[in-house]
């Protein structure tokens, strides 16, 4: 039994033997076998649905729905319904004939759907054809572009070759025209013609880039734009900026002329003509600057120095003498100039004879240490000067002025110790008369001879003061006789040198000494012009804690007053105050007067000359020049100390030099110089004192930091460390030594340097023994039976085995026995047994030498 109900979309089929199913009306199912590549197949279920379509103008009639494939990329191929597969690139197949199956008819696809499929296939075909056409056109266009570029390159190469040929022809014609003009016209006309010509940069053969012309000088430079992002990156070289001519700089006329001459030489292979120049040489010059002034390469100058055995760099500074030798060797002429022209008119200004007036004599007291120079001056001044000197030794120059019979005499006291030779030399240069003090009981001593030499070198007359005549062993005649050996002829011995026998302690004959000084000054007729700017010499300089830099100066000409602008050596300043030898401030210092000057910017060197200038600008200019000159000379000195290759190798071989670093602070500059000179003499090839820093003034915290960094000891001469410096030295473990007598300082440094010396190995002979028999003992080895022939043999001493006067072995004894007992030594004439440590090649007749080695401490 079956019951069928028709609804909108569904049909309910009831069959007694079948289950209830929901089934779409007008649906047919079928199976289609689908073919794949490689022979694979697959069965696919296909459903068809019947639909009714009506076309415009047609009567509506039922049309079977076209079969819709559920899963197939290709039209299905099956027995029912039969669908033919359309071949590729072929027109669409005709609609399949309706097939009747299971009482249902499969009608053909609708016309609109078939038309849509046909149009899609035709559109895809048309697109494929268009794509193929576009690809062909693109290939054709690329081939045409390549052919066009090839023609352009060939054309460019041809034009470039023509341009180069034309430029060469123009250059040749210009060269001939220039030669003709050079023969006919003066040099000025030739240069004017060369300035107007266009510079062309020659290119190498085969270069692909076009020839670039240089911009002529007449072309105005573009205005500089405001600095922006583009300008900030202007320094970076890019490809565009390298190839563009927008920012080309106009070359100078000289540069264009040089390039043109270089181009001409390259065209004709002409050798460059050697240009002889006049080289202007200052006092110091770098090798690079010298090469530029000679128009030579710096490399050639360096090679020249290497041939001479010196290794220098282009930046090294050489002095004018060396530069002159180099310039002369390269064929140039030399003209020496000096920057010191800035100092013209500073010193040695000529005075009119009518402006000169008499001035006091400047007297220097010289002589050996402890011969009574300061005591003599103390007696003359009636002041206790010697009590202020440590150990009775004058540590620095003292300058004083005394008056005798209404006439003033200026005295300069110099130290007599050997370390103060340089100070004595400065004292002699600033003086008019030298008083040579010789002790009657000690006669002529080494420093006495040095004083005579300094006085003769300065060309000043000598007055001999024979001191200490009050002593019982005084012998003035012996002094006069010994002075004859050094060409000092006193009046009593038939010479012209005045001599006076004096006693500083008793005050004997002091008036006669002053009269002799005034007599000698009258003979010299000393005069100076007080109405001019002051000149003189710095006797001493120091850094005072409360007053700053203080210089003791001797005015030689002119008058020095507060407010004057003073240039002394490398320092300058405005005079704030003048202090005389009694500690009083004065308003002016006439010629031959020693005064202390306050107000300098720094501490000058003792012995520097000073002068008064008009304004601060010139003072600053002069001091800057002098400071720069000092630095350059120091650099040139160090560069010259490099020496030859042999000297460098010897320095490398002796690099084991031990140094004792020191930081030295003194009260005055003269003491520092004396200490430096004394310590330099202590150095040997093995040890030396290296002065890290030396200066005048108290010991500060910076000195302690410097000593800590360099591992140096600090020495204070007549100065002390402040609280901060002492605390820093204690924290860093740095020793500060204080001295007031120079030879104590020198002795301590000498002892410290002696400690750096490696000890000396000293060998002491003990005795000899002759081997009489060799015994081979089990578990012991070889034992030599010996007889002591000389001295004795000790256990623990060094031994040598000598065979035919040749040392075979050197070592130590393993055992020393007398009979069966181990003994410490065996005296001469007795027999013993000896065995060497790690050595058994002993023979009968060998000699065993016993010695002791001692390490002895060395001293300087």
């Amino acid at each position: 039994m079956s019951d069928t109900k028709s609804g909108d979309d569904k049909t309910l089929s009831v069959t007694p033997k079948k289950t209830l199913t929901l089934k779409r009306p007008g649906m047919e199912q079928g199976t289609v076998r689908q073919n794949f590549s490689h022979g694979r197949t697959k069965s696919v279920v296909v459903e068809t649905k019947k639909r009714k379509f009506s076309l415009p103008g047609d009567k509506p009639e039922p049309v079977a729905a076209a079969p819709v494939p559920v899963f197939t990329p290709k039209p299905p191929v099956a027995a029912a319904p039969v669908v033919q597969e359309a071949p590729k690139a072929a027109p669409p197949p005709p609609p399949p004939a309706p097939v009747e199956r299971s009482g249902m008819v499969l009608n053909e696809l609708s016309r609109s759907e078939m038309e849509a499929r046909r149009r899609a296939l035709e559109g895809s075909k048309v697109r494929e054809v268009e794509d193929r056409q576009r690809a062909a056109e693109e290939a054709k266009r690329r081939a045409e572009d390549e052919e066009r570029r090839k023609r352009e390159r060939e054309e460019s190469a041809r034009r470039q070759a023509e341009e180069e040929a034309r430029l060469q022809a123009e250059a040749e014609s210009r060269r001939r025209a220039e030669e003709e003009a050079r023969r006919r016209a003066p040099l000025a006309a030739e240069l004017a013609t060369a300035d107007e010509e266009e510079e062309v940069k020659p290119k190498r053969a085969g270069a692909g880039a076009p020839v670039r012309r240089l911009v002529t000088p007449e072309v105005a430079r573009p205005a500089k734009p405001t600095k922006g992002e583009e300008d900030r990156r202007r320094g970076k070289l890019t490809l565009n900026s390298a190839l563009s001519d927008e920012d080309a700089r106009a070359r100078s006329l000289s540069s264009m002329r040089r390039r043109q001459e270089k181009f001409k030489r390259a065209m004709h292979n002409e050798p460059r003509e050697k240009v002889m120049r006049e080289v202007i040489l200052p006092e110091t010059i770098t090798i690079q600057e010298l090469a530029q002034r000679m128009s030579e390469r710096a490399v050639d100058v360096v090679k020249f120095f290497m041939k001479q055995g010196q290794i220098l760099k282009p930046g090294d500074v050489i002095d004018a003498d060396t530069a002159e030798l180099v310039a002369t060797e390269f064929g140039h002429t030399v003209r020496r100039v000096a920057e010191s022209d800035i100092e013209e008119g500073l010193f040695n200004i000529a005075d009119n004879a009518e402006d000169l007036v008499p001035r006091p004599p400047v007297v220097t007291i010289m002589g050996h240490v402890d011969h009574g120079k300061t005591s003599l001056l103390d007696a003359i001044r009636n002041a206790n000067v010697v009590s202020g000197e440590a150990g009775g030794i004058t540590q620095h120059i003292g300058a004083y002025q005394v008056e005798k019979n209404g006439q003033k005499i200026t005295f300069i006291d110099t130290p007599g110790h050997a370390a103060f030779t340089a100070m004595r030399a400065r004292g002699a240069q600033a003086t008019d008369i030298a008083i040579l003090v010789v002790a009657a009981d000690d006669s002529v001593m080494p420093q006495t001879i040095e004083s005579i030499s300094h006085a003769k070198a300065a060309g000043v007359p000598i007055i001999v003061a024979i001191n200490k005549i009050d002593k019982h062993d005084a012998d003035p005649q012996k002094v006069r006789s010994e002075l004859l050996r050094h060409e000092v002829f006193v009046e009593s011995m038939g010479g012209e040198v005045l001599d006076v026998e004096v006693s500083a302690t008793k005050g004997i004959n002091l008036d006669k000494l002053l009269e002799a000084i005034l007599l000698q000054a009258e003979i010299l007729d000393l005069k100076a012009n007080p109405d001019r700017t002051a000149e003189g010499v710095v006797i001493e300089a120091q850094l005072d804690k409360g007053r700053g830099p203080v210089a003791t100066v001797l005015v030689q000409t002119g008058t020095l007053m507060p407010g004057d602008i003073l240039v002394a050596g490398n320092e300058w300043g405005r005079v704030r105050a003048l202090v005389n030898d009694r500690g009083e401030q004065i308003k002016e210092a006439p010629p031959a007067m020693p005064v202390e000057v306050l107000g300098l910017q720094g501490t000058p060197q003792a012995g520097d000359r000073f002068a008064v200038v008009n304004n601060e600008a010139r003072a600053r200019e002069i001091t800057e020049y002098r400071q720069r000159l000092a630095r350059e000379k120091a650099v040139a000195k160090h560069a010259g100390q490099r020496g030859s290759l042999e000297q460098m190798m010897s320095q490398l071989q002796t690099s084991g030099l031990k140094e004792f670093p020191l930081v030295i602070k003194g009260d005055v500059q003269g003491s520092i110089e004396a200490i430096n000179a004394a310590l330099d003499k202590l150095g040997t090839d093995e040890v030396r004192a290296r002065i890290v820093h030396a200066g005048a003034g108290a010991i500060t915290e910076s000195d302690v930091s410097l000593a800590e960094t360099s591992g140096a000891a600090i020495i204070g001469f007549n100065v002390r460390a402040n609280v901060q410096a002492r605390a820093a030295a204690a924290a860093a473990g740095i020793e500060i030594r204080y001295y007031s007598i120079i030879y104590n300082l020198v002795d301590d440094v000498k002892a410290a340097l002696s400690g750096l010396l490696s000890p000396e190995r000293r060998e002491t002979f003990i005795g000899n023994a002759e081997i009489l028999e060799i015994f081979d003992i089990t578990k012991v080895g070889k034992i030599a039976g010996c007889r002591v022939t000389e001295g004795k043999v000790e256990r623990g001493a060094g031994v040598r085995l000598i065979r035919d006067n040749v040392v075979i072995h050197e070592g130590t004894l393993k055992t020393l026995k007398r009979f069966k007992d181990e003994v410490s030594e065996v005296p001469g004439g007795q027999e013993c047994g000896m065995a060497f440590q790690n050595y058994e090649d002993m023979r009968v007749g060998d000699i065993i030498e016993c010695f002791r080695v001692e390490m002895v401490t060395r001293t300087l």
Side-chain angles (χ1 to χ4, degrees), residues 162-358:
E162 293 177 356
E163 183 70 14
E164 290 181 352
R166 185 182 64 81
L167 292 176
Q168 290 179 359
E170 290 179 358
E172 181 66 22
S173 63
R174 281 198 303 270
R175 185 184 64 81
R176 288 195 295 268
E178 287 175 0
E179 290 179 354
E180 185 67 22
R182 191 176 294 110
R183 288 194 297 269
R184 296 180 179 180
L187 180 61
E190 178 212 346
L191 293 179
T193 304
D195 291 343
E196 297 172 357
E197 292 174 350
E198 184 179 28
E199 177 69 34
V200 179
K201 181 179 181 181
K203 291 290 184 178
R204 296 182 180 175
V211 178
R212 294 175 57 191
R213 296 172 182 267
L214 294 176
V215 181
T216 56
E218 289 76 10
V219 178
R221 296 186 182 178
K224 188 173 182 181
T226 306
K227 187 170 184 181
E229 181 65 25
E230 186 68 23
D231 292 326
R232 282 196 294 270
R233 299 178 59 86
R234 187 64 57 87
K236 296 184 178 180
L237 182 64
T238 62
L239 188 60
N240 294 333
S241 63
L243 297 179
S244 66
D245 292 338
E246 297 176 358
D247 297 333
R249 291 182 57 189
R251 293 185 176 272
S252 65
L253 299 182
S254 300
S255 175
M256 294 173 63
R257 193 176 298 115
R258 287 194 299 268
R259 293 173 65 85
Q260 188 174 11
E261 292 175 358
K262 183 179 179 181
F263 173 69
K264 292 176 186 176
R265 288 195 302 270
M267 291 291 293
H268 301 282
N269 294 326
E270 296 178 358
R272 182 168 181 173
E273 183 181 356
K274 177 75 173 179
V275 179
M276 301 302 175
R277 297 180 179 273
E278 184 184 37
V279 183
I280 299 176
L281 295 180
E283 296 181 3
T284 57
I285 189 173
T286 62
I287 294 178
Q288 182 73 39
E289 178 67 21
L290 176 62
Q292 291 177 358
R293 296 189 181 190
M294 295 190 302
S295 295
E296 305 284 351
R297 296 191 309 164
V299 177
D300 296 335
V301 182
V302 171
K303 287 181 180 178
F304 173 77
F305 278 106
M306 292 181 67
K307 291 179 181 178
Q308 307 301 320
Q310 289 186 339
I311 308 299
L312 298 177
K313 302 188 298 296
D316 288 339
V317 180
I318 57 177
D319 56 12
D321 295 334
T322 307
E324 184 176 358
L325 291 176
V326 174
T328 306
E329 193 69 25
F330 277 83
H332 303 284
T333 58
V334 174
R335 181 161 63 91
R336 297 278 289 269
V337 297
E339 292 179 286
S340 57
D341 295 342
I342 192 176
E343 297 182 350
E344 287 186 357
L346 190 64
F347 298 109
N348 302 325
I349 301 175
D351 294 317
N352 296 325
E354 58 271 11
D355 297 334
L356 300 179
V357 297

Side-chain angles (χ1 to χ4, degrees), residues 6 130 147 256 289-290 295 315 349 358 421 457 489 502 567 630 645 689 715 717 727 745 798 818 836:
S6 299
E130 290 177 353
E147 184 67 23
M256 294 173 63
E289 178 67 21
L290 176 62
S295 295
I349 301 175
T421 301
F489 307 105
V502 297
V567 176
L645 293 174
I715 290 179
F717 187 79
L745 184 153
R818 172 78 175 149
F836 287 93

Side-chain angles (χ1 to χ4, degrees), residues 545-603:
K545 183 176 181 180
R547 300 185 295 172
V550 179
T552 303
V553 301
L554 176 66
V555 181
Q556 293 176 317
T557 183
T559 302
L560 184 63
M561 293 181 289
D564 288 345
I565 299 172
L566 197 70
V567 176
N570 297 341
E571 305 294 340
W572 72 279
R574 186 180 293 273
V575 179
R576 288 193 288 111
L578 297 175
V579 183
N580 63 9
D581 57 335
R582 292 181 293 275
E584 303 167 351
Q585 286 200 15
I586 57 177
K587 295 299 182 181
E588 61 179 19
M593 184 173 186
V595 289
E596 284 186 344
V597 176
L598 280 68
L600 293 176
Q601 301 287 335
T603 307

Side-chain angles (χ1 to χ4, degrees), residues 33-275:
R33 182 169 296 278
Q34 188 176 6
N35 295 324
F36 297 95
S37 61
H38 304 293
R40 294 185 293 112
T41 61
K42 182 179 181 181
S43 296
V44 181
V45 177
V46 181
E47 293 182 354
T48 60
K49 181 180 180 181
K50 296 178 181 179
R51 291 183 182 178
K52 291 181 181 181
F53 298 95
S54 62
L55 296 174
D58 295 345
K59 294 181 179 180
E61 60 179 58
V63 181
V68 181
V70 176
F71 171 66
T72 171
K74 297 180 180 180
V77 179
V82 179
V83 180
Q84 293 183 358
E85 182 179 0
K88 293 183 178 179
V99 180
E100 185 176 334
R101 184 185 181 197
S102 302
M104 298 181 66
V105 181
L106 296 175
N107 295 329
E108 62 180 353
L109 295 172
S110 66
R111 293 180 186 177
S112 61
E113 194 173 60
M114 293 297 294
E115 184 67 22
R117 289 188 178 186
R118 185 181 62 79
R119 285 196 303 269
L121 288 173
E122 289 178 354
S124 65
K125 183 178 179 181
V126 169
R127 285 192 298 272
E128 289 178 0
V129 173
E130 290 177 353
D131 291 342
R132 285 196 297 271
Q133 289 177 354
R134 280 196 298 269
E137 291 175 358
E138 184 68 22
K140 183 178 179 182
R141 186 177 60 81
R142 283 197 298 268
E144 291 177 353
D145 291 344
E146 185 66 27
E147 184 67 23
R148 179 175 53 80
R149 285 195 293 270
K150 182 178 180 182
R151 288 196 303 269
E152 289 178 354
R153 287 195 298 269
E154 292 176 353
E155 183 67 19
S156 175
R158 184 182 61 78
R159 286 197 303 268
Q160 180 180 351
E162 293 177 356
E163 183 70 14
E164 290 181 352
R166 185 182 64 81
L167 292 176
Q168 290 179 359
E170 290 179 358
E172 181 66 22
S173 63
R174 281 198 303 270
R175 185 184 64 81
R176 288 195 295 268
E178 287 175 0
E179 290 179 354
E180 185 67 22
R182 191 176 294 110
R183 288 194 297 269
R184 296 180 179 180
L187 180 61
E190 178 212 346
L191 293 179
T193 304
D195 291 343
E196 297 172 357
E197 292 174 350
E198 184 179 28
E199 177 69 34
V200 179
K201 181 179 181 181
K203 291 290 184 178
R204 296 182 180 175
V211 178
R212 294 175 57 191
R213 296 172 182 267
L214 294 176
V215 181
T216 56
E218 289 76 10
V219 178
R221 296 186 182 178
K224 188 173 182 181
T226 306
K227 187 170 184 181
E229 181 65 25
E230 186 68 23
D231 292 326
R232 282 196 294 270
R233 299 178 59 86
R234 187 64 57 87
K236 296 184 178 180
L237 182 64
T238 62
L239 188 60
N240 294 333
S241 63
L243 297 179
S244 66
D245 292 338
E246 297 176 358
D247 297 333
R249 291 182 57 189
R251 293 185 176 272
S252 65
L253 299 182
S254 300
S255 175
M256 294 173 63
R257 193 176 298 115
R258 287 194 299 268
R259 293 173 65 85
Q260 188 174 11
E261 292 175 358
K262 183 179 179 181
F263 173 69
K264 292 176 186 176
R265 288 195 302 270
M267 291 291 293
H268 301 282
N269 294 326
E270 296 178 358
R272 182 168 181 173
E273 183 181 356
K274 177 75 173 179
V275 179

